[in-house]
Amino acid sequence: MTVRIYDAGTKCANANGGHSPTFNAFGIGRGGRHILDSRPLDEADRPSILVLMLDKAEAKTSPRATARAAGGRREVSWSFGEGTIFPGYTTHEVETRWALQFPDYPIACMPPIPGDWTDKSWRNDTKPSFEVCTGPMGEPVEMWIDYPEPALREIAGEPRFGLYRRNAEDELEAIYTGEDYAEAMEHANRETLACAFAKALAQQLTPDEWQTMRLTNQTITPGCCASHDHLDANMVMLAVWLTYRGDQLIARGAITDIGDDLDHVNAAWTIARERYMTASAEGERFDLWRCTGITVPDLAAAGCEMGDNEPCIRPGRLYEPGHIELDDEKGLIVTVGNSIRTFEHQIEAEGHLWRAYAASEFTTHPEAAD
């Protein structure tokens, strides 16, 4: 598509209390079609912001030096569906976060990053980082990927790949560190399945049942799990496995069913049982908070009920530093400071808000950690 934009010589009010210029936009699509022409529009209907949607944009691998030499642009290829591929340029601002935060990191050397990971990279860290998954209390599991050349790594002797859990104090606890990408990904896949399994159980259990299960697992026989007192946890694991791992492996012809992947499944089950389905000290407080919705001993922030809604969901509960409420489509909106996120399941919404609690306690109320 070719798009030309001309200043219309008029302005409209914007959200900041000022005025923004409006434009005449004219576009030619595939086959010579004029699919965009704002010139005949009335002054009030002329655009001040134009968003151009292109189907299937694919970036070519090109050196950063070339991008900088092209005036901050980089080469891309794009097409309309399965049609002709056209060359073009785009500014480097649309690159992935890690590439912007670490401009000297060689793009071609970054291994494939799964689409469901969240890029958390920050230039003041020593290397790019990604959130792989989260546990039922919102506890993140992160993958840190250092420079391929050991000499470029800020910490001498630091392994290239590191998979970590963050604890309540926001400290990193190592799951795997090493140079083997395949091994790092196997640990990441196990952790993803473990987190998904634990949260799926929490979705099917009431807060009271979840609390009872996690307390019982503190003293139950090793290798056993109190989840079976409430439901068939094997069927929950099967459904989660199909979603997060099975369908892909079956489609590739690697396996036929969950029985061919038991080493992975059993490892994920063990992780979930020990880390997410047994109440730690922090877990006991989280579960009590879910059951009462009001105050947890030693918690710096206290809350109050804002009104009754659907069973097992307490939207509108107000806490520092955020709250949960229902939207019109029964989604759970979690507001923490200036951040707003929507979740489908209660445990994920509450885990996200709880994580903000934990972080705020140890940054603004260090005495709560004593």
Side-chain angles (χ1 to χ4, degrees):
M1 174 183 283
T2 299
V3 177
R4 297 185 181 277
I5 302 177
Y6 307 91
D7 191 338
T10 57
K11 296 183 178 181
C12 65
N14 59 36
N16 296 322
H19 290 81
S20 298
T22 59
F23 305 95
N24 284 323
F26 179 70
I28 301 176
R30 184 173 58 179
R33 293 178 295 167
H34 293 209
I35 60 174
L36 175 68
D37 189 353
S38 68
R39 294 174 299 175
L41 299 178
D42 294 335
E43 179 178 317
D45 295 326
R46 288 179 181 146
S48 60
I49 299 175
L50 183 66
V51 179
L52 181 62
M53 305 298 291
L54 298 177
D55 189 15
K56 194 181 292 185
E58 300 178 356
K60 295 179 179 178
T61 301
S62 57
R64 276 187 189 282
T66 303
R68 290 197 185 97
R73 301 179 301 168
R74 63 183 174 90
E75 297 179 0
V76 297
S77 298
W78 55 273
S79 67
F80 293 93
E82 302 299 324
T84 305
I85 297 176
F86 302 92
Y89 292 91
T90 185
T91 59
H92 64 78
E93 283 78 10
V94 300
E95 293 179 6
T96 53
R97 177 185 176 92
W98 71 263
L100 293 173
Q101 298 293 317
F102 295 88
D104 58 340
Y105 195 112
I107 293 179
C109 293
M110 177 61 76
I113 303 300
D116 56 353
W117 289 13
T118 301
D119 193 340
K120 309 291 286 187
S121 303
W122 186 39
R123 61 183 176 275
N124 287 347
D125 289 329
T126 61
K127 69 202 80 169
S129 61
F130 306 86
E131 186 178 284
V132 176
C133 56
T134 59
M137 294 191 298
E139 57 270 63
V141 176
E142 300 173 355
M143 179 76 81
W144 292 66
I145 304 178
D146 218 327
Y147 290 76
E149 286 293 330
L152 297 178
R153 300 172 193 174
E154 187 169 326
I155 301 176
E158 186 83 355
R160 186 177 182 202
F161 301 103
L163 184 68
Y164 303 90
R165 299 184 191 96
R166 283 196 180 271
N167 60 25
E169 289 81 10
D170 216 34
E171 297 171 340
L172 295 175
E173 298 178 342
I175 300 171
Y176 167 84
T177 59
E179 300 292 329
D180 191 326
Y181 174 68
E183 189 172 356
M185 287 302 300
E186 174 63 15
H187 282 279
N189 288 335
R190 292 177 182 179
E191 203 73 24
T192 298
L193 185 60
C195 287
F197 172 56
K199 287 192 284 190
L201 281 175
Q203 292 164 22
Q204 297 195 32
L205 298 175
T206 67
D208 289 335
E209 290 172 339
W210 171 263
Q211 181 188 44
T212 299
M213 177 200 72
R214 298 225 291 177
L215 290 173
T216 303
N217 279 343
Q218 292 177 337
T219 57
I220 201 171
T221 303
C224 299
C225 181
S227 59
H228 292 281
D229 295 341
H230 306 280
L231 46 66
D232 187 346
N234 292 311
M235 297 307 296
V236 177
M237 172 59 87
L238 175 59
V240 170
W241 177 83
L242 285 170
T243 299
Y244 287 88
R245 181 169 171 90
D247 286 345
Q248 299 177 21
L249 295 178
I250 293 172
R252 294 202 303 265
I255 62 176
T256 58
D257 56 41
I258 192 172
D260 298 323
D261 198 34
L262 283 183
D263 287 345
H264 180 94
V265 172
N266 289 334
W269 183 292
T270 300
I271 292 169
R273 164 69 171 76
E274 295 177 355
R275 293 286 180 172
Y276 303 116
M277 293 156 56
T278 300
S280 61
E282 182 75 4
E284 288 187 29
R285 298 165 69 223
F286 173 74
D287 295 344
L288 178 60
W289 172 67
R290 291 188 72 217
C291 291
T292 63
I294 303 178
T295 304
V296 175
D298 302 322
L299 185 62
C304 59
E305 290 288 354
M306 300 296 289
D308 295 331
N309 287 278
E310 295 190 5
C312 298
I313 296 180
R314 299 184 177 93
R317 287 188 289 184
L318 183 62
Y319 303 95
E320 293 181 11
H323 63 275
I324 303 174
E325 59 187 343
L326 282 174
D327 65 13
D328 293 337
E329 298 180 354
K330 304 302 182 183
L332 290 157
I333 304 172
V334 182
T335 302
V336 179
N338 294 326
S339 170
I340 299 176
R341 288 185 59 183
T342 301
F343 298 88
E344 181 179 356
H345 300 291
Q346 180 187 0
I347 187 65
E348 293 181 318
E350 292 179 327
H352 179 68
L353 183 53
W354 181 265
R355 189 67 197 174
Y357 266 121
S360 68
E361 283 187 52
F362 289 97
T363 56
T364 61
H365 300 280
E367 68 279 1
D370 295 335

